[in-house]
Structures are given as structure tokens and as C-alpha cells.
Amino acid sequence: AKYKYCRALIGLGKFSQAEEILVDLLESEKKKNLHPTIKSHLSNFSDIYEGFGLLKRQQGDLEEAKRFYLKALEYREQKLFKFHRSLGSLNQYIGELFFEQKNYLEAEKYLERALSIYKPTFEKRVLKRVLTLLKVVYKKLNKKEKVKILGEKLKKLKDEE
């Protein structure tokens, strides 16, 4: 419940309150001193680090956001199966950060991972966002054939609306 409240605070721009809650949550998890392979423990750390990533991204600190998202991804990969939706989301967030930093090779890697996790039946809005970003990345990397393929996929999605 605290984690969801924290995300709401970030959305409202109440960054210092959100950061206090995240720090408290992290310290609480560390005090539990559970074995690091216990899945619920890994999940808690993953959620907290994702929260820090979201916070830092909203504050404009992309390097710190990336660091926290990568840490969350590390924990989540230990806990979840390869094609879990939340792994897709984290890969998407990291890809978006690399895109914002104009590091198109890394953006490509993470956005392609996100796309491989998201199924064609996945929420159309999210699929379109990832496909659109990836299409721009391919343009920047001069991958014309991939640009063409994604253009066709985006058109198909639009036609389905």
C-alpha cells in the first residue's frame, strides 16, 4: 500500500515525500535481513528500486533513474519468468531513458526486449509507444528495412482501431 501511495505522490510532483517513503521502505526491507533468493523479498526490492527510478526520472536525473531501473530489473529477472509483463515495462522504461539520452544502440536493445515480451494482444497504446520509439531508433541507426517493417506494424495497429 505504501508503494502505491508513493507512486501517486510522484505523479502529483510531491517528490520529497515520495523519496522519504521509498527510503523507509528500503530500510525496512534491509532490516528484515531475509535470504536474498526469497522471491517476495526480491519483489519488494524490485518495486522499491523501480519507484526510485520513477522518482529520479520525474526529477530529470536520467542517470540515477537508469541506475535504479537497472537495479530493479536485476532483482525482477531473478524472480520472474522470462516473458513477464513487468520485465517488459522495466525494459521499456530503460529503453526510453537511453532514447532520451540519444544512446540509440542501448535504446534499441531494451526496446526490442520490451517488444519481445509484449504480446500482440498487449495494450495497443503501450505497443504503439514502443513501436514508435523503436522506429525512430532504427531511423537514427540507419536500419531502413526495420523502419519499413515497424511502419507496417504501426499502420496495422492503427487500422485495427
Side-chain angles (χ1 to χ4, degrees):
K2 271 189 172 185
Y3 177 72
K4 287 182 181 182
Y5 177 64
C6 179
R7 287 183 69 98
L9 287 173
I10 293 168
L12 294 170
K14 298 185 178 193
F15 302 136
S16 59
Q17 288 176 293
E19 189 162 16
E20 284 177 31
I21 291 170
L22 286 168
V23 167
D24 287 345
L25 287 169
L26 186 59
E27 290 306 313
S28 174
E29 282 304 309
K30 286 180 178 178
K31 285 179 185 172
K32 288 180 184 176
N33 199 21
L34 295 172
H35 192 274
T37 60
I38 296 175
K39 289 189 175 208
S40 64
H41 186 63
L42 293 173
S43 177
N44 293 342
F45 274 117
S46 176
D47 290 344
I48 293 165
Y49 286 125
E50 182 180 351
F52 274 117
L54 176 62
L55 172 69
K56 295 303 178 183
R57 185 174 185 183
Q58 292 298 317
Q59 291 176 321
D61 189 346
L62 299 184
E63 281 303 314
E64 277 296 287
K66 185 171 49 179
R67 186 174 74 80
F68 282 118
Y69 280 145
L70 288 169
K71 190 80 169 164
L73 185 62
E74 178 185 323
Y75 278 105
R76 213 162 275 169
E77 284 176 335
Q78 293 175 47
K79 177 186 181 270
L80 301 172
F81 63 93
K82 188 177 177 178
F83 294 103
H84 193 278
R85 176 189 173 139
S86 68
L87 285 174
S89 299
L90 274 171
N91 277 289
Q92 178 185 344
Y93 299 157
I94 295 165
E96 289 172 353
L97 286 174
F98 280 116
F99 180 85
E100 290 174 37
Q101 295 175 318
K102 298 182 180 8
N103 184 339
Y104 300 117
L105 285 172
E106 287 297 309
E108 176 186 28
K109 179 172 93 176
Y110 285 96
L111 291 170
E112 283 181 347
R113 277 189 200 164
L115 199 57
S116 73
I117 292 168
Y118 294 154
K119 306 286 183 244
T121 57
F122 198 76
E123 186 180 335
K124 300 286 188 234
R125 176 185 57 85
V126 176
L127 266 178
K128 281 171 41 176
R129 174 157 177 77
V130 174
L131 287 170
T132 301
L133 281 173
L134 202 46
K135 184 179 172 188
V136 173
V137 167
Y138 289 152
K139 280 183 183 177
K140 298 284 186 185
L141 296 173
N142 203 26
K143 295 185 175 187
K144 294 175 183 171
E145 188 58 36
K146 288 187 174 189
V147 170
K148 182 180 174 187
I149 291 168
L150 286 188
E152 291 167 2
K153 285 183 180 182
L154 283 164
K155 185 182 181 320
K156 185 178 176 185
L157 277 176
K158 186 177 181 180
D159 290 345
E160 291 174 359
E161 291 178 343

